[in-house]
Amino acid sequence: MLAVDHGYFMGPTHKLEQPRKTIEPLLPHADALMLTRGVLRNSVDPRANIPVVLRVSGGASIVGSSLANETITTSVEDALRLNVSAMALSIFVGSEYEHQSLANLGRLVNEGEKHGIPVLAVTAVGKELEKRDARYLALSCRIAAELGAHFVKTYFCEDFGKVVAGCPVPLVVAGGPKLETEMDAFQLASDAIREGAVGVDMGRNIWQSEHPVPMIRAIREIVHHGLSVREAKEVYEDAKKSRIPLMASPRRPN
């Protein structure tokens, strides 16, 4: 899954200033897109045949007092109109807004069940990245599953297998902030899959790379074919030598 929903709280973050330019060359290599309705409507070709996981929570920004103060910002009716495959919402366990975010999840699952749309719960930590340990993430993931989330996006951590074992629904691992090297991102993806994640949802570690298309191709090989970090690096280097377009083509007139 390719995450391009960062603008809903970060604004025009680096290399996502023009979403269409970032998204278009990566579309053929992604299994799904995670994004907001605004970017879906304005920056993705409606003819693109790709599943969409629609970000439906928001209401806070990086300059506000707390990223956890979110609500549901997009209706299920709009998700239906946009023909999405799933809806995504963040929960903030242990924060001042824990109850609010968990109640949001319950309501979204209730509405999604009426229309057959699954829900992805995102175990967000706001600005407190030090919370990403197995005990906290296991708690957050299990609560999300208990409230009806069909799958959960969380962080990789030491003893991640314990998080997987305690969660009865599939887990997808977030890429998080841009890592120092491509090899670090390959290692993250490899470790996550090996320890039980069903996939990864990466954003900045792909489109903030100097070579985003080779990057997503290498990550895809790890997820789908179990390539090692060394083998993924070879895919990445080979893809850099090929004639893959790295920028979006000019927009065609309607």
Side-chain angles (χ1 to χ4, degrees), residues 23-42:
I23 295 168
E24 189 173 275
L26 297 171
L27 275 177
H29 312 286
D31 292 322
L33 278 180
M34 184 172 174
L35 74 177
T36 61
R37 61 178 169 184
V39 170
L40 177 60
R41 286 171 173 160
N42 295 291

Side-chain angles (χ1 to χ4, degrees), residues 5 15 22 35 72 105 122 157-158 186 193 198 220 231-232 243:
D5 60 327
K15 291 198 174 180
T22 298
L35 74 177
I72 297 172
L105 174 60
V122 181
C157 62
E158 187 176 350
F186 299 153
I193 297 301
V198 299
R220 182 184 178 89
E231 291 168 331
R243 295 180 176 273

Side-chain angles (χ1 to χ4, degrees), residues 147-213:
L147 289 175
H150 300 84
F151 58 132
V152 177
K153 174 181 170 181
T154 193
Y155 293 99
F156 185 76
C157 62
E158 187 176 350
D159 294 326
F160 184 71
K162 293 181 180 179
V163 182
V164 175
C167 185
V169 301
L171 293 180
V172 176
V173 165
K178 178 72 168 65
L179 297 171
E180 189 172 341
T181 69
E182 288 80 12
M183 293 293 282
D184 291 331
F186 299 153
Q187 190 68 62
L188 171 62
S190 179
D191 290 345
I193 297 301
R194 187 183 68 252
E195 294 198 32
V198 299
V200 297
D201 183 25
M202 284 195 172
R204 285 167 285 183
N205 280 293
I206 289 175
W207 39 261
Q208 285 184 346
S209 167
E210 292 184 12
H211 304 283
V213 171

